[in-house]
Amino acid sequence: MKICIIGKSSYIGNHIDEWLSANGHEVFQLDVLTEDWERFDYSDFDVAIQVAGIVHRPECHDADLYKRVNTDMPVRIANLFKKSGTKHKTFVFLSTMAVYGSHKRLEKNVITVKTRTSPSGLYGKSKKAAEDGLLAMQDANFDVVVVRPPNVYGKRCKGGYIPGFVKIVKHLPVIPYAYDDIRQSMLYIDNLCEFIKLAIEKNMHGIFMPQDDKAVSAVDIITAIADGLGKKPRTSRFLGLGVYLCRFLPLVKKAYGGIEYDMSLSKINNMDYVVVPFNEAIKRTVK
């Protein structure tokens, strides 16, 4: 297949490019920092994958900017792509877990099939509006694949909280053991790439919530990181009491809080996309 990645030189886009290219697909990355995408010829491509967008920026309150980049641009590109030829086409949109409006909490926090989308921030709202516009374009000759990944991680991935946990493991001789029943869904970059590869090869359409083979607690993440670094982790329930006492602090919620997809949402018939299990994925990320 000929595949156009919308958004050039991003972490996720580059990995998708490498993954699909290694599996025999012809991939091109389109720069959308200028308005050239409006005049681009999409007719020769079978698949377009939208990775470009503005992620959640607490300091940015420009609703128009979020709308232009996260909503209007992908919908406009999808329209141009759809109208560029008569052959069957697939449009893949990288959305976000934030469309549910829920945030990490220090209590059980599970998104199920009954959970309704209710975005609260500009990021989630702009992505949900794009989803609605794109899904309305679905027809027999145009598949729309909406992907709502949880936290994506991998080697040299910026952002997220894996680098922070690595620092903790490297500098603290003992790790506070707390909130081991609060879990977070995560998605290793190779697993995301494999999911997208299978989705386009199988001509799938709809909304999907892929994740790793299991949701994990902060203790699980810390233990896996320590193992990946060749260290024997020491945990302390006594120090964990201090974490419970400081649960009102934003840092505690960020480190130990969770939000997860029910695993039933991520199991898709005839699609085994978890090519790297969580513990091995963490090793590859930190080594």
Side-chain angles (χ1 to χ4, degrees):
M1 294 184 187
K2 294 195 69 174
I3 300 167
C4 181
I5 294 178
I6 312 299
K8 190 173 183 179
S9 299
S10 70
Y11 179 82
I12 290 178
N14 284 341
H15 277 77
I16 293 174
D17 185 341
E18 293 173 5
W19 195 267
L20 295 177
S21 297
N23 283 274
H25 297 288
E26 184 178 343
V27 184
F28 172 81
Q29 294 194 35
L30 177 63
D31 189 350
V32 293
L33 293 179
T34 68
E35 295 183 354
D36 289 346
W37 58 267
E38 295 190 87
R39 297 178 293 275
F40 185 73
D41 183 4
Y42 299 92
S43 61
D44 202 29
F45 293 95
D46 305 289
V47 178
I49 303 173
Q50 178 87 28
V51 300
I54 297 178
V55 297
H56 175 60
R57 296 180 184 174
E59 77 285 355
C60 180
H61 304 286
D62 189 340
D64 288 338
L65 178 62
Y66 275 100
K67 182 177 182 296
R68 287 198 309 273
V69 177
N70 287 357
T71 304
D72 296 343
M73 182 174 68
V75 172
R76 174 62 177 156
I77 289 176
N79 268 297
L80 293 171
F81 179 54
K82 182 178 182 179
K83 295 176 180 178
S84 66
T86 58
K87 63 181 179 180
H88 183 277
K89 292 178 179 289
T90 299
F91 191 89
V92 181
F93 180 63
L94 268 291
S95 188
T96 172
M97 201 181 206
V99 298
Y100 291 100
S102 186
H103 303 281
K104 294 180 72 174
R105 299 202 299 259
L106 293 171
E107 60 185 3
K108 204 69 175 174
N109 188 12
V110 184
I111 294 171
T112 71
V113 68
K114 295 182 179 180
T115 305
R116 294 185 177 183
T117 55
S118 182
S120 56
L122 294 176
Y123 175 54
K125 288 179 179 179
S126 63
K127 287 288 191 175
K128 181 60 172 63
E131 289 185 9
D132 293 342
L134 293 168
L135 290 168
M137 299 169 59
Q138 169 79 40
D139 61 33
N141 290 314
F142 192 72
D143 286 330
V144 175
V145 178
V146 171
V147 188
R148 296 174 178 168
N151 181 61
V152 176
Y153 67 101
K155 194 172 184 65
R156 292 185 295 276
C157 180
K158 296 180 180 179
Y161 39 84
I162 296 296
F165 277 126
V166 171
K167 291 180 181 178
I168 290 173
V169 171
K170 286 182 176 179
H171 294 97
L172 290 185
V174 181
I175 307 300
Y177 189 100
Y179 294 108
D180 59 307
D181 59 333
I182 305 302
R183 305 196 176 278
Q184 171 73 38
S185 287
M186 301 176 67
L187 183 60
Y188 183 53
I189 185 65
D190 285 5
N191 296 334
L192 172 61
C193 292
E194 179 66 7
F195 171 83
I196 290 174
K197 180 183 82 72
L198 292 174
I200 61 178
E201 290 177 347
K202 293 176 179 288
N203 294 323
M204 298 176 66
H205 62 269
I207 301 172
F208 301 93
M209 288 74 79
Q211 64 177 314
D212 286 346
D213 54 314
K214 59 183 178 181
V216 291
S217 67
V219 176
D220 293 329
I221 297 172
I222 290 169
T223 302
I225 289 173
D227 186 44
L229 295 174
K231 300 183 66 175
K232 293 184 178 180
R234 294 176 57 202
T235 59
S236 169
R237 292 185 181 272
F238 178 74
L239 291 179
L241 291 175
V243 172
Y244 288 114
L245 291 173
C246 296
R247 59 185 177 275
F248 57 89
L249 296 176
L251 182 60
V252 172
K253 183 184 292 185
K254 181 178 180 180
Y256 285 89
I259 176 172
E260 61 179 297
Y261 284 131
D262 185 277
M263 287 302 295
S264 65
L265 296 178
S266 305
K267 292 181 179 179
I268 305 161
N269 291 337
N270 302 317
M271 180 181 277
D272 185 11
Y273 60 86
V274 180
V275 292
V276 184
F278 170 75
N279 288 80
E280 176 60 27
I282 288 293
K283 287 182 181 179
R284 296 185 185 186
T285 298
V286 303
K287 70 178 181 180

